[in-house]
Amino acid sequence: MAQPEPQAAPGRVLVMKFGGTSVADADKIRRVAARLVAAHLAGRRVVGVVSAMGHTTDGLVELAEQVSPRPHPREMDMLLSTGERITAALCAMAINDLGHHAVSLTGSQAGIVTDTVHTKAKIVEIRPRRISEALERGDIVLVAGFQGVSTAYDVTTLGRGGSDTTAVALAAALDGDCEIYTDVDGVFTADPRIVPTARKLRSVSPMEMLEMAGAGARVLQLRAVEFGRNHGVPIHVRSTFSDADGTWIREDGGMEDAIISGITHTTDEAYVTLTDVPDEPGTAASIFNAVAAAHINVDTIIQNAVTHGDADITFSVPIDDLELMTDTIEGLCADLGLHWRVIRDVAKVSMVGAGMKSNPGVAARMFQVLADRQINVRMIATSPIKVSCVIDRTKVGDAVTALHDAFRAELEVSADGAVGV
Ligand code: ADP
Ligand code: ASP
Ligand code: MG
């Protein structure tokens, strides 16, 4: 069931974002430059948002940790923001060499204003005056992704994968279209690097994509999907290395008859279990107020059923925030008389699909498939359109593959022809 693609109005702004693999070396940067020029020649007003080259950001994180065991977050942002700036400048040079005018801007110069939470800042406002002026002059504008300037005038970064959010936010501010170019052909029914038979999805609703991104499909940063949904920006995720159509994330993107759109997994979470939690009003509020004050994003929270006496509460924490969490929880547990432990050797596998709401039985089948593979389910969490199971980390590849096989018929409904990477 092919859907008509949204028509591009001539002269409309087009934001094109290229991820790390797409700009990994000089040749690839020249190819990205040519692609931006082609869009410009086709009559679009072009804004290129670029990531740091290849694994530059990982390299900078490692370097910081060699210099300082717990790098200061403000300085971390100064450091990490340089990766994207390098790519933006190089790409602008390559465009100039092709005979077109280009100008590169840092996040701050591009008018991306954020809150003051270093290393995972949220965009609070966009003042795109410089971008608009450059576009009026006929320039191609390159914006360093993943960064902004805080309301306290410091450089901030938007969390790993944050260039996606830069791109969607700029498309919203400039009333333009948004294309996310990456190293796979679109959003797949599972990570195509783990499941070679995964199929590309034609389109996905923002709600499903939110659940998929939140459950580990790192092809789009969660915040980018939120931004797109809140501002009504359709997102086209597609390959840097081909002209093929990718996956559309847009309001009419969900397939009515698709029970399941994707199977996702993450190994980036740890779980904290608090025991002896007093069965009193306000305890959970004190715990999660402290966690929120430390700017730690908790995804899943499970409290055991309390019939009488004390309870256990288990919640997920991004692995990167585990040290911060340890600091927070130590004080809290001492104050409230709780005990705590961290579970690290786990992964989460999730099934996402809008049709689950009206098709009971998906969870039961999922548990059966895992049981048949001798995979023990350690925790379960659900939303109306998602079922997640926490399992042993060593079993995650097996679990995703087995579920993809078992639900192949359901997944086919939303997929198009493309298979694997
Ligand atoms: P970029 O550097 O372009 O931002 P990322 O590495 O952040 O790229 O995201 C692309 C990667 O996301 C793919 O290489 C793929 O391994 C992974 N991925 C995980 N789940 C999915 C999925 N459901 N569909 C497509 N890609 C996925
Ligand atoms: N370079 C940053 C990262 O590796 C941001 C991005 O690529 O979107 O997370
Ligand atoms: Mg990314």
Side-chain angles (χ1 to χ4, degrees):
M1 182 177 56
Q3 298 197 3
E5 303 310 344
Q7 287 299 303
R12 226 175 120 73
V13 170
L14 175 60
V15 179
M16 301 167 78
K17 178 259 171 178
F18 293 89
T21 319
S22 311
V23 292
D25 57 36
D27 262 355
K28 289 194 169 123
I29 289 179
R30 278 198 296 266
R31 266 192 271 163
V32 164
R35 201 152 187 166
L36 292 164
V37 166
H40 175 72
L41 291 175
R44 303 303 300 265
R45 294 192 288 154
V46 177
V47 177
V49 172
V50 284
S51 287
M53 295 170 67
H55 297 289
T56 301
T57 310
D58 292 333
L60 291 172
V61 171
E62 269 167 41
L63 187 59
E65 282 165 0
Q66 282 168 30
V67 169
S68 160
R70 294 191 70 175
H72 192 288
R74 180 190 181 279
E75 306 313 325
M76 198 66 175
D77 276 349
M78 275 297 273
L79 178 72
L80 297 188
S81 67
T82 61
E84 279 45 29
R85 295 176 184 207
I86 292 171
T87 320
L90 291 172
C91 198
M93 289 175 196
I95 292 173
N96 287 328
D97 287 351
L98 291 170
H100 296 271
H101 287 285
V103 58
S104 64
L105 301 173
T106 64
S108 158
Q109 289 173 319
I112 296 172
V113 183
T114 74
D115 63 19
T116 54
V117 183
H118 284 291
T119 76
K120 48 187 157 186
K122 281 206 170 92
I123 297 175
V124 294
E125 193 190 342
I126 298 203
R127 300 174 189 157
R129 191 177 55 86
R130 283 196 72 174
I131 300 182
S132 301
E133 283 171 3
L135 291 173
E136 284 311 310
R137 283 197 304 270
D139 288 358
I140 295 172
V141 181
L142 271 304
V143 176
F146 167 65
Q147 58 189 276
V149 60
S150 76
T151 46
Y153 307 106
D154 282 317
V155 172
T156 48
T157 62
L158 309 180
R160 297 306 303 265
S163 300
D164 295 336
T165 303
T166 306
V168 179
L170 286 178
L174 297 163
D175 193 23
D177 300 317
C178 185
E179 294 185 333
I180 303 287
Y181 287 86
T182 185
D183 57 1
V184 287
D185 288 343
V187 180
F188 280 69
T189 51
D191 185 341
R193 299 193 192 284
I194 303 263
V195 182
T197 54
R199 305 279 299 269
K200 192 182 86 192
L201 296 163
R202 276 190 297 270
S203 56
V204 188
S205 67
M207 187 51 90
E208 286 170 304
M209 195 63 227
L210 268 183
E211 292 279 20
M212 287 177 74
R218 78 192 145 96
V219 62
L220 270 183
Q221 198 200 33
L222 178 63
R223 291 228 184 120
V225 187
E226 279 171 353
F227 223 102
R229 190 184 61 160
N230 294 344
H231 294 83
V233 181
I235 304 171
H236 188 187
V237 180
R238 56 192 306 195
S239 169
T240 305
F241 308 112
S242 88
D243 286 327
D245 225 35
T247 303
W248 283 91
I249 293 66
R250 58 172 184 231
E251 225 33 88
D252 59 351
M255 301 281 153
E256 273 293 298
D257 36 0
I259 300 174
I260 303 154
S261 293
I263 295 169
T264 61
H265 69 282
T266 176
T267 51
D268 293 341
E269 289 175 351
Y271 288 78
V272 174
T273 295
L274 303 176
T275 51
D276 311 318
V277 181
D279 178 19
E280 285 164 15
T283 315
S286 329
I287 295 167
F288 291 104
N289 277 334
V291 172
H295 302 290
I296 298 169
N297 287 326
V298 169
D299 178 31
T300 309
I301 303 175
I302 300 168
Q303 175 164 339
N304 68 347
V306 190
T307 42
H308 47 78
D310 295 344
D312 290 356
I313 296 181
T314 299
F315 54 94
S316 63
V317 185
I319 292 252
D320 287 348
D321 283 340
L322 208 47
E323 281 193 45
L324 191 57
M325 177 58 94
T326 308
D327 293 349
T328 310
I329 220 83
E330 259 168 3
L332 194 75
C333 286
D335 289 348
L336 298 176
L338 317 178
H339 294 98
W340 62 287
R341 63 173 189 276
V342 174
I343 310 162
R344 287 165 177 270
D345 54 345
V346 286
K348 186 170 77 184
V349 52
S350 308
M351 305 201 20
V352 176
M356 271 187 207
K357 268 192 266 191
S358 44
N359 286 278
V362 171
R365 270 176 72 197
M366 179 180 189
F367 304 151
Q368 190 60 53
V369 171
L370 296 176
D372 291 347
R373 294 281 171 142
Q374 307 294 315
I375 298 170
N376 189 24
V377 176
R378 294 170 62 168
M379 273 175 264
I380 298 165
T382 61
S383 86
I385 64 164
K386 184 179 73 180
V387 185
S388 300
C389 293
V390 177
I391 58 171
D392 282 351
R393 183 170 296 200
T394 52
K395 303 278 175 65
V396 67
D398 194 16
V400 175
T401 310
L403 290 168
H404 200 271
D405 278 352
F407 287 88
R408 182 179 298 266
E410 286 82 354
L411 290 161
E412 295 275 309
V413 175
S414 4
D416 72 6
V419 178
V421 266

